[in-house]
Amino acid sequence: MSTEAGLVEVHAPDSLVPAAADAIGDAVRDAVESTGRCRLALAGGTTPRPIYAELAGLDVPWEHVHVYFGDERAVGPAHPRSNYGTAFRWLLRHVPVPPQHVHRPRAEWADLARAARAYEEELPDALDVLLLGLGVDGHVASLFPGSPVLAEEGHLVAPTLAPVSGERRLTLTPKAIRLAHEVIVLVRGADKAQAVRHALAVDGSVDSCPARLVADATWILDTDAATLLEVTGPRRE
Ligand code: 6PG
């Protein structure tokens, strides 16, 4: 379904993983074919895990891919909450991305502002492909509702805090997200249906639903996450 937003693909739950992996593989190959490289930012959280495992089995020119991260928790790479650690276990250790092409945010540094500046130095002017998940509260990366980082205009990376837990994080800013050439949002599960509806609704604010920053992206959903969407266009199952 193409909306005035972006492209919304809705898949049966057991088809989401191959469909998402194929879409990511196509986007990476397209970038490499057109520019000789792909600057790919990976999403954190749990949704991408099986998608990364499937992606690892596809024919992707990994030697031309540079890997970044949409956000990172303030933990070391071996910590179970590390988004880098998750990506390494599910994807990076299975594919031949040159180690020097993996740009890990140093979110474990005590000085998170310094870590943000260091990571920003490694980022390209614009990412080629940015993968994002969606939080039940409508956050993407670590851009949470009401966050002052939503008003950040200058930088591409900022330190932030997760609500409730207060967990320290680094996140791409709205500017970095807007500059990305291709954004793919990966959403699975009925618990995300309300957030999907708010993100893609005609009315609403980014402050209350940061995912509205990427309403015009490619959304790859399972039917459970799409339950509250009025899907009028063709559904791709
Ligand atoms: C993170 C992610 C975050 C995640 C969503 C969805 O570091 O947690 O960047 O934005 O993508 O919270 O997480 P799940 O896929 O685990 O539901």
Side-chain angles (χ1 to χ4, degrees):
M1 173 183 89
S2 292
T3 70
E4 73 281 351
L7 172 67
V8 177
E9 291 186 15
V10 180
H11 298 274
D14 58 2
S15 308
L16 177 76
V17 165
D22 286 346
I24 297 165
D26 290 347
V28 171
R29 275 190 293 272
D30 288 350
V32 171
E33 277 159 23
S34 59
T35 67
R37 61 187 176 185
C38 178
R39 287 77 60 95
L40 168 66
L42 298 177
T46 56
T47 299
R49 291 173 181 176
I51 298 169
Y52 291 159
E54 182 85 10
L55 184 63
L58 299 185
D59 178 20
V60 172
W62 292 109
E63 65 282 5
H64 299 294
V65 177
H66 287 251
V67 175
Y68 304 85
F69 297 84
D71 67 335
E72 184 55 284
R73 294 82 177 270
V75 294
H79 191 284
R81 286 193 55 76
S82 166
N83 286 334
Y84 162 84
T86 296
F88 180 78
R89 287 189 297 279
W90 291 81
L91 175 62
L92 297 179
R93 70 178 173 181
H94 304 292
V95 296
V97 175
Q100 67 273 23
H101 285 193
V102 179
H103 306 272
R104 180 179 72 82
R106 289 339 194 234
E108 72 275 21
W109 288 357
D111 183 345
L112 216 44
R114 177 170 159 257
R117 298 293 71 77
Y119 184 47
E120 188 168 48
E121 287 298 311
E122 293 195 52
L123 280 173
D125 292 341
L127 291 162
D128 294 301
V129 180
L130 168 59
L131 307 182
L132 292 171
L134 176 69
V136 293
D137 61 356
H139 77 260
V140 287
S142 284
L143 296 172
F144 296 97
S147 168
V149 180
L150 292 170
E152 170 57 53
E153 290 296 330
H155 287 294
L156 300 176
V157 182
T160 189
L161 296 176
V164 182
S165 71
E167 182 179 55
R168 298 164 69 242
R169 300 205 179 176
L170 285 184
T171 185
L172 293 184
T173 62
K175 177 180 179 181
I177 291 174
R178 287 193 184 104
L179 287 169
H181 298 149
E182 166 89 25
V183 179
I184 299 175
V185 188
L186 307 166
V187 194
R188 169 188 65 189
D191 61 329
K192 306 288 178 71
Q194 193 72 269
V196 168
R197 190 173 68 84
H198 286 162
L200 298 180
V202 173
D203 300 317
S205 73
V206 166
D207 193 64
S208 63
C209 183
R212 295 180 63 80
L213 282 166
V214 291
D216 60 350
T218 296
W219 288 67
I220 301 182
L221 316 173
D222 72 0
T223 45
D224 296 332
T227 310
L228 299 180
L229 275 186
E230 294 85 43
V231 180
T232 52
R235 291 172 85 108
R236 189 181 298 179
E237 299 289 352

